[in-house]
Amino acid sequence: MNITIFGSGYVGLVTAACFADVGNEVLCVDIDEAKVARLRQGQIPIYEPGLTELVLKNAAEGRLRFTTDAAAGVAHGLYQFIAVGTPPNEDGSADLQYVLAVARSIARHMDGYRLVVSKSTVPVGTADKVSAALREVLQERGATPEFDVVSNPEFLKEGDAIADFNKPDRIIVGADSPRAAKLMQTLYAPFNRNHDRVIVMDVRSSELTKYAANAMLATKISFMNEMANLAERIGADIEKVRIGIGADPRIGYHFIYPGAGYGGSCFPKDVKALVKSASDADFDAAILKAVEQVNDNQKQTLYRKLRKHLGSLQGKTIAVWGLAFKPRTDDMREAASRTLIEAIWADGGKVRAHDPVAMKEAQRIYGDRPDFALLDSPMAAAEGADALAVVTEWRVFQSPNLGRLKQLLRQPLIVDGRNLYDPAWMKSEGFVYDCVGRPTPAA
């Protein structure tokens, strides 16, 4: 298959590398000349386990190429994937300008049938807008090539994207023509050998499926955080509650860990966009609004705990373990660490931080400043700090040398946004340990 992918960000690059790895000829098109130059030199702009090796392998073997030439991209691929960003507007709606710009570019150069595939996360009705943009430009050209537009949302978890693409739970295809559906089934056949994972539906249902999936997962997280906050006030242990309810197969254990709030590039943006879509349809999405409100509040929980124990943070130094919004990624978009760090600074405090992979991203976001130090190990970050805040559940944080940690901290205070440690154990080691939704052990 000849495949063109517009956009070489997270979704586009993973999609391109995985399609190329099963033998397809893939051409990535991006308007960022510097990014394309770096990709041609083997420099991968994002951190994702296994992605660098996959890109380098398939580029070396000639199946994966990068260009800024949109005309070459349209000429290359029967399949024209749109995988560009849809950043939120101020009102929470998805900004479709880049999606529609790609559609117009395809229409300017196509000279025969093309299957246009929307991989970007977009609101319901976007495929109609893409079709309209294609038709408008074709009419201006006086050209009459046929096309289909399908919705093929991605369900990639950052940190596990390669495995998710190669062994998907489901492959959603929104298609309004049998030809388009058949072409998509053929394309995904190498990823569909064990049993049929392709679910074909109408385009609008496919577009909503992506938003509904992320909104459901975000809802589970906010619900557990709500329960954790209640548990703290009534003396229950949310970890025991989690195990108890997770044993019910109707609920399950996935996404019911309480913590410091969800972040990343998907959940916050997609919940906002779905709320806006509901509003545009004259529907009040009350549950989704509550999910968002609970999450915004939860991101303040570690700062509130620090204030509870230390009072004002003026002149205090806080060690922060974890900057990425989750392990196995360097993504800090909407991360709980950013809410905490900025609250500490606003209160006059300083931050010493460590993250296994996200420190370069933190440096890019915040630059050089006297109240922010990035250290090369967890213990180095803890040295001389008035308290430790655990924000991301990286494995390297899960079994620290507590004796050494206690010596390095000015006072043995840990606020844990991921419930990594046993409260009784921490108390026996001489720490003041404040986590999420778990009672403090009796003296």
Side-chain angles (χ1 to χ4, degrees):
M1 303 285 182
N2 284 354
I3 303 168
T4 297
I5 297 179
F6 284 87
S8 58
Y10 184 85
V11 173
L13 203 53
V14 171
T15 301
C18 290
F19 274 142
D21 202 47
V22 296
N24 297 296
E25 303 287 335
V26 182
L27 181 60
C28 272
V29 181
D30 200 293
I31 62 173
D32 187 333
E33 293 182 2
K35 180 190 284 188
V36 169
R38 289 194 298 271
L39 286 165
R40 286 173 172 171
Q41 295 167 5
Q43 300 175 23
I44 310 305
I46 57 176
Y47 176 83
E48 176 63 33
L51 181 59
T52 296
E53 296 82 356
L54 205 61
V55 170
L56 294 179
K57 170 192 170 188
N58 285 282
E61 294 174 2
R63 291 187 300 273
L64 178 57
R65 296 179 292 120
F66 303 94
T67 186
T68 59
D69 188 345
V74 177
H76 172 79
L78 168 65
Y79 298 88
Q80 300 279 311
F81 276 81
I82 302 177
V84 294
T86 53
N89 290 311
E90 288 187 9
D91 62 0
S93 63
D95 185 348
L96 299 179
Q97 64 171 310
Y98 306 112
V99 171
L100 297 178
V102 171
R104 295 186 188 101
S105 185
I106 293 170
R108 275 193 294 271
H109 301 293
M110 61 189 285
D111 58 2
Y113 175 79
R114 293 294 185 272
L115 180 58
V116 180
V117 185
S118 176
K119 201 73 175 167
S120 302
T121 300
V122 293
V124 174
T126 298
D128 294 338
K129 295 179 180 179
V130 169
S131 294
L134 287 161
R135 282 193 298 270
E136 179 184 355
V137 175
L138 289 173
Q139 287 172 0
E140 291 172 358
R141 289 176 53 201
T144 58
E146 295 183 345
F147 65 86
D148 284 305
V149 176
V150 305
S151 168
N152 176 221
E154 54 84 16
F155 297 95
L156 305 177
K157 298 187 296 292
E158 291 191 47
D160 292 293
I162 304 299
D164 286 345
F165 196 99
N166 287 330
K167 296 181 179 180
D169 298 317
R170 75 285 207 199
I171 301 165
I172 302 296
V173 173
D176 291 332
S177 85
R179 172 169 61 172
K182 181 61 177 176
L183 283 170
M184 293 299 288
Q185 289 169 324
T186 302
L187 177 63
Y188 276 105
F191 309 95
N192 201 33
R193 295 174 65 86
N194 182 264
H195 64 274
D196 190 5
R197 298 179 175 89
V198 175
I199 303 172
V200 179
M201 59 183 71
D202 63 277
V203 172
R204 285 180 170 250
S205 295
S206 173
E207 290 171 333
L208 183 56
T209 295
K210 169 62 177 181
Y211 276 126
N214 280 352
M216 173 61 81
L217 296 175
T219 299
K220 292 182 75 173
I221 294 170
S222 280
F223 176 81
M224 284 306 293
N225 283 333
E226 190 98 304
M227 292 299 100
N229 295 335
L230 176 60
E232 284 190 16
R233 287 158 176 76
I234 63 178
D237 187 336
I238 195 62
E239 285 299 303
K240 292 182 171 61
V241 174
R242 179 184 66 80
I243 293 169
I245 66 173
D248 185 332
R250 297 171 300 175
I251 298 172
Y253 290 106
H254 294 297
F255 282 83
I256 60 169
Y257 288 88
Y262 61 75
S265 63
C266 294
F267 289 3
K269 175 175 71 73
D270 292 353
V271 171
K272 284 183 172 67
L274 194 51
V275 169
K276 181 62 169 60
S277 292
S279 176
D280 290 344
D282 197 26
F283 178 73
D284 182 22
I287 290 177
L288 296 180
K289 289 179 180 178
V291 166
E292 195 173 17
Q293 181 182 2
V294 168
N295 192 62
D296 290 344
N297 178 68
Q298 197 68 15
K299 286 184 177 180
Q300 298 287 341
T301 190
L302 290 180
Y303 173 68
R304 287 195 295 265
K305 289 178 183 295
L306 288 169
R307 288 283 309 211
K308 178 177 73 175
H309 293 284
L310 297 174
S312 170
L313 301 186
Q314 180 70 42
K316 303 284 199 312
T317 298
I318 308 301
V320 173
W321 282 5
L323 296 166
F325 85 94
K326 61 180 269 188
R328 293 171 58 84
T329 181
D330 63 351
D331 194 343
M332 288 181 62
R333 284 173 288 184
E334 302 277 353
S337 64
R338 296 179 67 168
T339 302
L340 173 62
I341 288 168
E342 291 163 19
I344 292 169
W345 288 336
D347 202 7
K350 297 181 179 181
V351 173
R352 295 171 60 85
H354 174 77
D355 188 285
V357 303
M359 292 198 292
K360 185 182 292 186
E361 178 67 2
Q363 179 70 34
R364 184 192 69 80
I365 293 168
Y366 293 121
D368 295 322
R369 46 187 298 162
D371 51 6
F372 189 43
L374 294 165
L375 286 305
D376 61 4
S377 74
M379 291 300 173
E383 185 172 4
D386 294 283
L388 166 64
V390 180
V391 188
T392 314
E393 63 274 30
W394 286 98
R395 287 178 63 86
V396 71
F397 302 149
Q398 293 184 13
S399 187
N401 182 329
L402 293 181
R404 185 179 175 209
L405 181 59
K406 189 176 178 182
Q407 289 177 342
L408 292 172
L409 291 169
R410 287 180 184 166
Q411 49 187 307
L413 170 62
I414 298 177
V415 294
D416 182 1
R418 300 301 172 188
N419 289 0
L420 295 188
Y421 315 121
D422 177 68
W425 176 47
M426 298 302 289
K427 182 178 178 62
S428 71
E429 293 290 331
F431 284 89
V432 176
Y433 179 66
D434 196 344
C435 54
V436 180
R438 308 196 71 182
T440 302

